[in-house]
Amino acid sequence: MFARNKIDNTRVLSSMKAKHQRYEALVKAFHADIFRYAYWLVKDRSVAEDIVQETFLRAWRSLDALNDEKAAKGWLITILRRENARRFERKQLELVDIDDVFIHDDTQQAEGDIKERELHRLLGTLSIEYREPLILQLLFGFSGEEIATQLDLNKNTVMTRLFRARNQLKEALEKQNQHRGQANG
Amino acid sequence: MDELEFRRRIYANPNTTDSDLVAAANADEKKRAFWQEQKALDNKLKQTLKVDVPEDLASKLIWQQSADEFSRYKKRSRWYVAIAASVAFAVGISFTMLQQQSISLGDHALAHMQYVDVEESHSLLPVDLNMVNAKLASFGASFDTMIDGVEVANYCHLSTVQSLHLIVDTPQGKMSVFVVPSRDNVKVPSEFEDDSFHGESFKMQQANIIVVGNKGSDLSTMKDAVANRIQFSA
């Protein structure tokens, strides 16, 4: 009986060890892009960090449910989106949608070509329904179908949103260039 | 392919490799320039998306997992301890109850015989009829006349049963008489023995009388003496 217990214990220990290794691999492979995704969802570094921590905690607790390593990325994104939605339910009253109160900052406009800071700001002004598919495409290299599955949308809707997202960015950039042209001229 | 359709599809995915788009771009320099422009913008967007990740994030994530596991392990072990305690408690209770159900006093009586020679009266009063009767009164019994040779009359416990232990000096050596109140959960064997002593018991209205003497001694005289003298109040 004791011998069997010992074998069971080592088996439990080695399966725990395997689970740890799996989790650490998951963290190393995805934490950076998952953080960036969270950041672009909420546009706040510390909130993003909180969500990422919650996400990985849940991932750890249900790691056994992840059968296919290839699905890990999508699985983490799904958990993260759920965590983000939960945060909204909790804090609905405290939050103001930044899109509605975005304050136009023109102190940076005199700084030459398309600056990263400007793009950063413009990305932030895209509404979430355009921004999210674009981030999935650019950050994770998802195809239209994959984005559609992830966001539970029709593929045509996704393609339209991607088109509109880039279109809006382009127009905004052109408008700024005109602006700057006028200001400089 | 018209301009709008081309732009729509490039906007949707600048990194597409669709052959009809490639063909359209090859045929039209403006389209090619638009595509290049979009690819360049996409690369800039990718750069922009790559915001700095907090340096310690990965270690935090691994650490919080260990902390979570530890707190769960603690909870789990508390749970095990609770179960183990309950089991131990239940075993203890049932063991005690089982024991109570079958107390056999023979062995206890024999054990008391080991120190009969050194036993002294707990009371300073002389061992006489009054004193013995005073003690028997708690069992609702009394002797009408004294038994010869009673040296010691002490309460003692045979297992958990309070009894009166009389040590009597007889021509056949020292004998013990135990007066044990009848209780449902107490069994008194009618005969028992070990290497040096043997005992016999008989039942009266409210008590069992156990007589123990040296091996080979005749206990019947003492049994009769007790049986004839003891009386129980109603």
Side-chain angles (χ1 to χ4, degrees), chain A residues 21-42:
Chain A
Q21 283 171 349
R22 233 179 136 202
Y23 175 77
E24 290 196 24
L26 202 70
V27 169
K28 283 186 182 129
F30 297 116
H31 82 278
D33 280 343
I34 286 290
F35 171 80
R36 289 173 181 136
Y37 181 63
Y39 171 79
W40 284 108
L41 274 188
V42 301

Side-chain angles (χ1 to χ4, degrees), chain B residues 208-229:
Chain B
N208 289 291
I209 309 297
I210 304 173
V211 179
V212 189
N214 288 323
K215 197 120 189 171
S217 59
D218 178 16
L219 302 176
S220 55
T221 321
M222 183 58 70
K223 277 164 72 179
D224 289 344
V226 174
N228 291 335
R229 286 177 173 82

Side-chain angles (χ1 to χ4, degrees), chain A:
Chain A
M1 195 180 84
F2 290 111
R4 199 181 58 205
N5 270 350
K6 211 171 167 186
I7 291 167
D8 282 353
N9 279 342
T10 37
R11 200 175 293 149
V12 166
L13 276 180
S14 71
S15 91
M16 275 313 277
K17 208 176 150 196
K19 197 178 164 186
H20 282 208
Q21 283 171 349
R22 233 179 136 202
Y23 175 77
E24 290 196 24
L26 202 70
V27 169
K28 283 186 182 129
F30 297 116
H31 82 278
D33 280 343
I34 286 290
F35 171 80
R36 289 173 181 136
Y37 181 63
Y39 171 79
W40 284 108
L41 274 188
V42 301
K43 297 186 280 190
D44 181 302
R45 287 182 70 86
S46 70
V47 175
E49 199 174 327
D50 284 352
I51 297 177
V52 171
Q53 289 193 2
E54 274 302 311
T55 301
F56 274 92
L57 196 58
R58 284 190 191 271
W60 159 254
R61 287 180 184 166
S62 50
L63 195 58
D64 295 333
L66 176 67
N67 295 320
D68 182 5
E69 300 299 331
K70 274 181 242 158
K73 220 193 300 185
W75 182 66
L76 285 172
I77 292 170
T78 304
I79 299 176
L80 187 141
R81 297 186 78 235
R82 212 181 296 142
E83 280 309 313
N84 186 39
R86 200 167 287 158
R87 181 183 65 95
F88 257 93
E89 282 163 22
R90 279 200 303 266
K91 299 196 174 175
Q92 208 166 19
L93 294 174
E94 301 165 36
L95 283 179
V96 188
D97 193 340
I98 284 206
D99 294 336
D100 297 338
V101 292
F102 192 82
I103 298 157
H104 188 74
D105 178 5
D106 54 8
T107 56
Q108 296 161 13
Q109 285 197 4
E111 296 182 21
D113 209 29
I114 312 169
K115 281 274 153 81
E116 220 175 276
R117 242 191 304 188
E118 233 163 74
L119 260 186
H120 193 129
R121 190 179 61 76
L122 285 175
L123 266 171
T125 61
L126 285 181
S127 73
I128 188 73
E129 55 183 5
Y130 294 155
R131 192 167 67 228
E132 200 173 11
L134 188 64
I135 291 163
L136 285 173
Q137 190 184 50
L138 290 173
L139 207 53
F140 295 111
F142 276 10
S143 71
E145 279 95 351
E146 284 170 323
I147 298 171
T149 314
Q150 192 73 60
L151 302 184
D152 200 15
L153 291 171
N154 175 303
K155 193 201 161 190
N156 284 336
T157 312
V158 169
M159 296 324 269
T160 307
R161 288 187 184 180
L162 285 170
F163 153 73
R164 288 201 182 139
R166 284 201 176 81
N167 200 25
Q168 280 185 14
L169 283 176
K170 184 113 189 333
E171 280 174 5
L173 286 169
E174 276 167 3
K175 210 155 94 189
Q176 264 183 15
N177 283 338
Q178 270 176 17
H179 235 53
R180 196 177 300 133
Q182 283 168 4
N184 290 348

Side-chain angles (χ1 to χ4, degrees), chain B residues 124-188:
Chain B
L124 292 172
L125 295 171
V127 182
D128 59 12
L129 184 62
N130 284 337
M131 197 268 253
V132 172
N133 278 345
K135 295 199 166 187
L136 276 174
S138 62
F139 306 116
S142 63
F143 285 141
D144 49 11
T145 53
M146 190 56 174
I147 296 171
D148 289 337
V150 176
E151 292 182 335
V152 178
N154 284 338
Y155 286 125
C156 70
H157 283 89
L158 295 180
S159 178
T160 57
V161 188
Q162 194 184 26
S163 323
L164 184 63
H165 183 190
L166 302 176
I167 298 175
V168 189
D169 197 18
T170 72
Q172 299 193 67
K174 297 217 173 173
M175 287 189 188
S176 281
V177 176
F178 296 94
V179 181
V180 185
S182 300
R183 265 169 39 181
D184 288 345
N185 61 346
V186 175
K187 288 194 189 102
V188 181

